[in-house]
Amino acid sequence: MSVATRNGISVDAPVAPPRVVRQRRVRPGLLGLAVLLIALGGLGAAFAVTSVRSTGTYLAVARQVEVGQQLSAGDLVAVRVSGGQGLRPVPTSRLKEVVGLRAAVRLTPGTLLTAAQLTDAPLLGPGQQQVALGLKPSRVPARTLHPGDKVLLISTPDRNANAGGAASGGGTRFEATVIDTAAPENDDVVVYVALAVRDVPAVVVLAADDRIALVLTEAA
């Protein structure tokens, strides 16, 4: 207690209490949130760096390519891809290597090109030759034929063999593989097939007499 003098008379004066500074209380929830935000920021930065490092330019399919068809530069387009873990797309630097290779499967526009989808094996196997057949639309399947389709060439009866008698000489079968197709102006369907060499002479004769029907047995 202090003493103050007023007009020469001592009086008791109140003593000011000491000032107490309140400590700021840190809420545990806010502290945890701050730590979480810092951690997320670090992960985001790491992901961004990883994504930039893994971004590359790869080849994608620009238009549909059928099985067995050779690739051209116009069939492919360059795209930038970020990440792509688990995929092994062909980089654009290998464009010259893949042009001229054949599609081992049907290539769909908008998909990345992989090495497993390509082959350098010719459609003509050992002991095979290519034959072009001009067939009426009624003698081919309604479904459009694609390279790699397995077909049977079946001989139809010779209606001119016995004039006035029953037709004969039909039903012989030849296994073949479709190489390509075309549609000329006369509406016939031209099918290019791979045949065993031993079957080529008979099939050529039957085709000249318009005595072949084609049956699809296995789609590519």
Side-chain angles (χ1 to χ4, degrees):
M1 178 180 296
S2 60
V3 178
T5 302
R6 180 183 300 171
N7 297 327
I9 301 175
S10 297
V11 296
D12 293 335
V15 179
R19 184 177 181 183
V20 178
V21 179
R22 296 182 60 187
Q23 294 184 352
R24 199 167 186 180
R25 186 178 179 184
V26 179
R27 296 175 62 183
L30 293 178
L31 179 60
L33 179 60
V35 173
L36 178 61
L37 291 176
I38 293 173
L40 290 177
L43 289 175
F47 177 77
V49 172
T50 304
S51 297
V52 170
R53 289 179 180 176
S54 60
T55 298
T57 306
Y58 302 95
L59 294 175
V61 182
R63 56 193 178 194
Q64 185 164 300
V65 180
E66 301 297 342
V67 177
Q69 182 177 333
Q70 286 185 310
L71 265 71
S72 65
D75 297 325
L76 305 172
V77 62
V79 295
R80 289 187 62 81
V81 178
S82 177
Q85 292 184 356
L87 297 177
R88 293 185 178 179
V90 179
T92 53
S93 59
R94 295 183 55 193
L95 175 62
K96 293 183 179 180
E97 298 178 31
V98 301
V99 169
L101 295 180
R102 298 183 183 275
V105 296
R106 185 180 302 176
L107 303 180
T108 305
T111 59
L112 290 174
L113 183 70
T114 64
Q117 297 172 322
L118 306 175
T119 180
D120 56 358
L123 287 181
L124 283 176
Q128 288 185 324
Q129 291 181 332
Q130 178 178 309
V131 175
L133 304 174
L135 305 174
K136 292 182 172 59
S138 59
R139 295 194 177 184
V140 297
R143 169 190 174 279
T144 302
L145 295 172
H146 302 292
D149 287 344
K150 304 297 183 182
V151 296
L152 279 179
L153 306 179
I154 303 177
S155 64
T156 59
D158 185 359
R159 300 184 180 277
N160 299 322
N162 299 318
S168 62
T172 306
R173 301 184 177 191
F174 308 91
E175 295 182 352
T177 302
V178 175
I179 295 178
D180 202 357
T181 60
E185 295 181 357
N186 61 0
D187 293 332
D188 283 352
V189 178
V190 177
V191 183
Y192 301 90
V193 296
L195 277 172
V197 174
R198 65 177 182 275
D199 295 333
V200 170
V203 170
V204 169
V205 171
L206 290 170
D209 292 339
D210 195 19
R211 292 182 52 206
I212 287 183
L214 186 149
V215 178
L216 176 65
T217 58
E218 182 182 342

